[in-house]
Amino acid sequence: MSERYTGNGTVNGPHIRNEWTSQWKMKQVLIALLFPTTGAVYFFGWYSLVMITTSIITCVLLETLVQKATKQPVTINDLTAVITGWLLALTLPTSAPLWTVVIGDFIAIVLVKHLGGGLGRNWINPAVAARVLLKLFLSPWITNWIAPGPDVVTTVTPLVALGHFSREVSVTTPEWWKLFLGIDLGGPMGETSKLLLLIAGGYLILRKIINPLVPLLTLSAFYLAILIYSQFNFVFATAHLLSGALIMASVFMVTDYTTSPMTDKGKYYFAIGCGVVCAILRIVLDLPGGIGVAIVVMNLAVPFIDQWTMYRVYGEKRLKITTIIDNK
């Protein structure tokens, strides 16, 4: 806190002064997104930027049109539409046609964000919901994985090699260091290098944008569940941890302010739930993209988590779920 001398013998204050506006926080997220974007360009080429730019422009235009059509204030300066478009593009492979990107943007901005209540009121993470629905309805176009390099070679993701209810690492599963660095891996362009994603997470933690326990609990809960399933096969569990979108989602999506619980305790339960549900989906349903579905499931559980963990004011009754929903 600080006090400000007015020059007339009086002092105004104390006041809390900092630069932590919502826009400033979103700018930090955009800076963090530069790390996986660098990996996307390095591994898959400059066309990655075409997809990202298309997605960002589409999201911004859709948000502007919806807000003008509904006579709301235009809020594109808050940068949330930019982040949604950027994140969604990074979850797609460079083989995905641009029209699938535009459809995903429409789902995220119009159907999920604004029909769900608008900025700060949507229950489900728009980018995650759009990615899940794209995979559900447009899999032939957005799951045509290609390997990095000048030649377009169709390949599979490491999770495919780890699936089919196995408890052992197959001969086609890349070594852990390749999974960590993203070398010769097919898949969505922004999820390849786990090193770059962890650097991005470290940046957000240093800037105090995200709580470090949230991604840590997500990853730990997932890893423990896979360990138990595999009868403590650490090689198998590590390969699962370093495959797919789990780390990217833990850094950028599980930590989302709007669609996560209000209290710290609730955020921790939410993170653990995301990790455990993702592990169950991969194990029981053999679903490679389990983390997206897990986040959507836990998003829907947020009102119940809030009711369970919300601090009760002395003399007041416990909050009802309907009250929490109205506040969100």
Side-chain angles (χ1 to χ4, degrees):
M1 292 190 296
S2 64
E3 295 180 334
R4 182 169 63 88
Y5 180 67
T6 62
N8 59 2
T10 62
V11 176
N12 288 342
H15 300 285
I16 297 175
R17 301 179 184 279
N18 62 56
E19 59 180 350
W20 285 25
T21 63
S22 296
Q23 188 184 62
W24 181 84
K25 291 180 179 181
M26 295 303 102
K27 286 181 179 178
Q28 306 313 304
V29 177
L30 292 176
I31 292 172
L33 284 172
L34 291 174
F35 293 102
T37 301
T38 301
V41 174
Y42 177 78
F43 290 115
F44 297 102
W46 292 103
Y47 186 70
S48 305
L49 295 182
V50 174
M51 294 182 65
I52 293 170
T53 303
T54 300
S55 187
I56 290 173
I57 292 174
T58 303
C59 283
V60 170
L61 287 176
L62 286 171
E63 178 128 306
T64 302
L65 289 173
V66 169
Q67 291 178 330
K68 282 185 175 294
T70 55
K71 298 182 179 180
Q72 301 177 49
V74 177
T75 59
I76 57 172
N77 288 335
D78 62 22
L79 302 177
T80 56
V82 175
I83 291 174
T84 297
W86 199 333
L87 270 175
L88 180 58
L90 288 175
T91 66
L92 298 172
T94 50
S95 58
L98 286 179
W99 60 266
T100 62
V101 178
V102 173
I103 290 176
D105 294 332
F106 180 84
I107 294 171
I109 298 297
V110 179
L111 300 185
V112 179
K113 184 176 182 179
H114 285 283
L115 288 185
L119 179 63
R121 296 180 180 274
N122 44 288
W123 287 14
I124 303 173
N125 185 294
V128 175
R131 181 63 174 81
V132 169
L133 290 175
L134 283 178
K135 183 168 185 178
L136 181 63
F137 294 109
L138 301 177
S139 278
W141 291 278
I142 70 163
T143 55
N144 182 26
W145 315 119
I146 59 172
D151 300 321
V152 178
V153 179
T154 302
T155 185
V156 297
T157 64
L159 278 177
V160 174
L162 288 169
H164 310 296
F165 311 104
S166 64
R167 286 186 170 88
E168 298 287 341
V169 174
S170 70
V171 294
T172 59
T173 301
E175 295 91 335
W176 71 268
W177 60 272
K178 286 189 175 182
L179 292 172
F180 183 69
L181 297 177
I183 298 175
D184 298 329
L185 301 181
M189 57 182 175
E191 302 169 3
T192 307
S193 175
K194 308 309 181 291
L195 173 62
L196 291 173
L197 290 169
L198 291 176
I199 293 173
Y203 174 81
L204 292 175
I205 291 170
L206 287 175
R207 301 300 281 170
K208 297 183 180 180
I209 303 300
I210 65 174
N211 183 334
L213 283 178
V214 172
L216 180 61
L217 287 172
T218 303
L219 298 175
S220 299
F222 172 86
Y223 192 72
L224 180 60
I226 297 294
L227 272 180
I228 294 172
Y229 165 75
S230 64
Q231 300 176 349
F232 291 88
N233 185 333
F234 286 89
V235 175
F236 179 80
T238 301
H240 255 288
L241 182 70
L242 296 177
S243 300
L246 178 64
I247 292 180
M248 181 180 183
S250 299
V251 171
F252 289 106
M253 296 156 182
V254 180
T255 55
D256 178 48
Y257 294 155
T258 302
T259 56
S260 60
M262 298 180 184
T263 66
D264 285 341
K265 185 188 293 185
K267 293 180 190 298
Y268 301 152
Y269 291 142
F270 177 81
I272 292 170
C274 286
V276 172
V277 173
C278 177
I280 292 173
L281 290 171
R282 287 192 187 183
I283 294 167
V284 177
L285 298 181
D286 195 23
L287 184 64
I291 186 60
V293 178
I295 292 173
V296 170
V297 170
M298 294 305 299
N299 283 161
L300 296 175
V302 164
F304 302 95
I305 297 174
D306 278 335
Q307 185 183 40
W308 182 30
T309 61
M310 189 67 68
Y311 301 109
R312 184 169 65 89
V313 178
Y314 183 76
E316 296 290 334
K317 296 181 179 179
R318 183 176 291 275
L319 289 176
K320 295 182 180 180
I321 292 178
T322 53
T323 303
I324 295 170
I325 292 172
D326 290 339
N327 289 335
K328 287 183 80 69

